[in-house]
């Protein structure tokens, strides 16, 4: 190279033009760029040498200005079309002759720039450029179009996010919702953040944290302020598949046109019975009722009538499989998520007051002690007489209302039944229970649920039906989900007597109780005091109950059982696992809203009770807020005794992080 030669080279990856000034050592040259800066350039690092003219560094801007008008990529496409047929390679100088008809320094450098910047038509091979095959060019163009479309979509997506954040209503496309779903995945699985979610947060200059992703979803009005993250994390479906809705509506249509055929054509008619359905006022799925039949010998037959959803569905049909997938209805403070579509669950599946309803009825005669003396099970027709709340029944029993001898006798039988179970080893644990409800999506209320005479009646009748169903299935070798509980190792009486009576003593007993078990083998249920037991009283909202109905009703009809032992075992395994997950969702959701309740009642003082030690050495204990029926861990910095009364106020509460701390209230 000679002084005055114009060369192109790279500086930190950027293209730079410089004029050769002088040699530097044996191999390098000094080049001066347009700003007068010196660069040491090695010949093999020169990308292009402009021949045919001598330059000064001050000429570079003028040269670049002359080159720029000729950088039209469309001319490169024309040249490719001329060269592709023979696959003729080309140099920048030859390309200059082809498209500009001259090999001047300006045209040659323009041709070099076109070729070196081109990513479509030519590929470099040494000092020449070969035209790419037509199929390859078409594929590259296609990819470029895709990238351009992605870029446009990204820009539109970013614009929509800003519109949504400013409060405008936005109609999201499916592809955009898919991208936003990555934010949801980040919130639900923070240990494995999707790159797409991090990119969205970064583009908005937000912290790359699950908390930021959650707040963004709320700000975009895609999630509510109190979105149930526990439910979203679970496998429990929030909506029914379209096929399930279609099947449900088909059943409703056939019932309305009297085209529905009942599989149990020979039902026992009990429509003359005075039947009481007793539930909370808000209950919409009415799945049980009770009545009493006076017998000639002075005894009475208790009847427990259970809703009969199996008449509307078949094993393994869409409704059954969906109910199996859900395993249970979810009861959350914000409302119920049903196991069956509500149109069915609250309609033809329920025991509706004043309507003739199919049922599975358990008739039981108790002996003087409260044990089952005789029982019978029938598919029946019933007509519920009274739709009562627990409060209604408590009033009826308190006032001893004339003309309602049946409910009074049922209450007496329930009390006798309770005593019989106690005598049979039942472990009665009475702990206050909180019913948490949310109105208007935010207003939280907590009701303390205590055992009343009416609740005792319902509980004992349901337990009685479960014992009778268990006996029947055991006697006839019918595989159903039997419930059992191992015998607990309770503290010695002399140890229990030292504990304060009430919640503290009950808490000590509760801690000793083993988990209940579900299996195909009948076994003793220790806390109920029963030798055999299966749940049958909630087939609309608990799938294991529905399984027992399928089996019992088939046996009553003399038909082959729908579920063989091995299949039943597999279903029980799946359903118990799903039910456990559903219970976790209910517990965590209740916990979240209980913390929200404390936020809404900040500054209040609560009456606490020390229930038991969690880690006595660390001063960590379990406390009960008596007026709410809620239990929390609390760390004491002083000596306290079990059963000690406390005055507590909240010192810190964060429902999203599931954190709450209390301090003892100080009164002046």
């Amino acid at each position: 190279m000679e002084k005055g030669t114009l060369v192109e080279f790279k500086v930190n990856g950027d293209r730079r033009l410089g004029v050769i000034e002088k040699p530097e050592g044996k191999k390098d040259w000094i080049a001066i760029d347009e700003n007068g800066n010196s660069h040491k350039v090695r010949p093999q690092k020169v990308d292009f040498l402009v021949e045919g003219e001598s330059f000064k560094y001050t000429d570079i801007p003028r040269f670049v200005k002359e080159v720029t008008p000729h950088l039209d990529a469309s001319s490169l496409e024309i040249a490719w079309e001329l060269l592709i047929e023979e696959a003729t390679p080309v140099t920048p100088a030859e390309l200059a002759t082809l498209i500009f008809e001259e090999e001047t320094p300006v045209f040659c450098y323009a041709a070099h720039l076109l070729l070196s910047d081109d990513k479509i038509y030519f590929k470099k091979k040494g000092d020449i450029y070969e035209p790419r095959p037509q199929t390859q060019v078409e594929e590259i163009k296609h990819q470029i179009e895709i990238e351009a479309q992605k870029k446009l979509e990204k820009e539109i997506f970013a614009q929509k996010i800003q519109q949504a954040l400013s409060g405008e209503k936005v109609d999201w496309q499916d592809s955009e919702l898919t991208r936003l779903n990555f934010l949801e995945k980040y919130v639900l699985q923070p240990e494995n953040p999707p790159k797409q979610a991090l990119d969205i947060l970064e583009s908005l200059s937000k912290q790359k944290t699950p908390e930021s992703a959650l707040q963004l979803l709320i700000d975009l009005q895609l999630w509510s302020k109190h979105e149930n993250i526990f439910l979203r994390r679970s496998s429990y479906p929030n909506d029914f598949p379209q096929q399930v809705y279609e099947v449900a509506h088909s059943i409703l249509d056939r019932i309305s046109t009297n085209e529905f055929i009942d599989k149990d054509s020979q039902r026992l008619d009990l429509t003359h019975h005075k039947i009481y359905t007793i539930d909370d006022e808000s209950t919409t799925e009415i799945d049980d009722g009770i009545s009493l039949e006076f017998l000639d010998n002075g005894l009475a037959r208790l009847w427990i009538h259970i809703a009969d959803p199996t008449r509307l569905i078949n094993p393994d049909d869409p409704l059954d499989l969906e109910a199996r997938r859900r395993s249970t209805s979810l009861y959350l403070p914000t409302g119920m998520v049903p196991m069956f579509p509500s149109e069915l669950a609250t309609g033809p599946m329920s025991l509706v007051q004043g309507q003739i309803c199919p049922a599975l009825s358990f008739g039981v005669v108790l002996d003087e002690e409260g044990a089952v003396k005789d029982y019978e099970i029938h598919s029946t027709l019933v007509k519920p007489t009274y739709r009562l709340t627990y409060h209604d029944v408590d009033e009826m029993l308190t006032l001893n209302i004339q003309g309602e001898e049946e409910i009074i006798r049922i209450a007496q039988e329930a009390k006798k039944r309770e005593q019989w179970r106690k005598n049979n080893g039942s472990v009665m644990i009475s702990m206050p229970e909180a019913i948490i409800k949310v109105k208007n999506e935010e207003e939280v209320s907590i009701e303390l649920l205590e055992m009343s005479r009416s609740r005792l009646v319902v509980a004992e009748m349901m337990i009685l039906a479960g014992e009778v169903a268990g006996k029947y299935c055991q006697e006839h070798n019918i595989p159903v989900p039997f419930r059992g509980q191992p015998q607990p190792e309770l503290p010695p009486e002399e140890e229990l007597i030292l504990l304060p009576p009430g919640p503290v003593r009950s808490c000590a007993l509760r801690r000793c109780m083993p988990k209940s078990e579900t299996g195909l083998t009948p076994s003793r249920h220790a806390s109920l005091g029963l030798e055999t037991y299966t749940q049958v009283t909630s087939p609309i909202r608990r799938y294991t109950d529905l399984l027992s109905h399928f089996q019992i009703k088939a046996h009553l009809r003399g038909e082959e059982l729908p579920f063989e032992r091995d299949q039943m075992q597999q279903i029980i395994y799946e359903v118990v696992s799903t039910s456990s997950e559903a219970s976790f969702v209910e517990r965590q959701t209740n916990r979240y809203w209980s913390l929200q309740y404390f936020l809404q009642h900040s500054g209040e003082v609560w009456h606490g009770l020390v229930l038991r030690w969690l880690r006595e050495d660390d001063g960590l204990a379990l406390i009960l807020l008596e007026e709410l029926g809620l239990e929390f861990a609390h760390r004491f910095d002083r000596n306290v005794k079990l059963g000690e009364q406390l005055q507590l106020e909240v010192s810190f509460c964060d429902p999203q992080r599931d954190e709450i701390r209390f301090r003892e209230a100080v009164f002046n």
Side-chain angles (χ1 to χ4, degrees), residues 248-313:
H249 289 140
S250 173
I251 291 172
L252 291 170
D253 290 342
R254 282 184 286 148
I255 291 175
S256 66
T257 56
N258 295 318
E259 296 177 10
F260 190 84
I261 299 175
D262 192 346
K263 291 172 285 189
D264 300 277
S265 56
Q266 302 298 319
R267 290 183 180 269
L268 178 64
D269 189 344
L270 298 180
T271 55
H272 58 284
H273 277 218
K274 184 188 290 185
I275 296 175
Y276 307 88
T277 64
I278 308 169
D279 285 284
D280 288 310
E281 189 174 356
S282 60
T283 301
T284 55
E285 297 176 345
I286 312 300
D287 51 14
D288 59 78
I290 51 179
S291 64
L292 189 85
E293 178 186 2
F294 290 105
L295 304 178
D296 293 338
N297 54 7
L299 296 175
R301 181 177 287 113
L302 294 163
W303 284 95
I304 303 101
H305 310 284
I306 309 302
D308 186 9
T310 62
R311 74 186 179 94
L312 303 176
I313 60 180

Side-chain angles (χ1 to χ4, degrees), residues 449-461:
L449 181 64
E450 296 179 344
M451 183 58 72
S452 63
R453 293 179 68 188
S454 60
R455 291 186 184 276
L456 172 67
V457 167
V458 173
E460 287 299 333
M461 293 302 103

Side-chain angles (χ1 to χ4, degrees), residues 88-130:
T88 306
V90 67
T91 64
E94 291 169 341
L95 182 69
T97 300
L98 184 62
I99 61 178
F100 302 124
E101 299 180 352
E102 286 187 74
E103 289 188 22
T104 65
V106 168
F107 288 149
C108 286
Y109 187 60
H112 159 71
L113 291 178
L114 288 171
L115 287 169
S116 61
D117 289 343
D118 173 52
K119 299 290 187 277
I120 302 176
Y121 302 103
F122 294 88
K123 60 181 177 182
K124 189 174 184 181
K125 195 169 184 179
D127 293 332
I128 62 173
Y129 291 84
E130 294 180 349

Side-chain angles (χ1 to χ4, degrees), residues 592-638:
Y592 171 85
W593 284 107
S594 69
L595 268 57
Q596 287 290 345
Y597 179 85
F598 285 111
L599 284 183
Q600 294 175 14
H601 294 79
S602 60
E604 293 193 27
V605 176
W606 309 98
H607 299 286
L609 179 72
V610 183
L611 281 180
R612 70 177 179 90
W613 289 109
L614 298 174
R615 291 197 304 271
E616 188 170 3
D617 291 344
D618 295 334
L620 188 64
L622 186 67
I623 59 172
L624 169 69
L625 301 186
E626 295 183 276
E627 61 261 66
L628 299 177
L630 299 174
E631 299 176 19
F632 296 97
H634 178 66
R635 192 180 301 278
F636 289 94
D637 55 7
R638 65 179 181 88

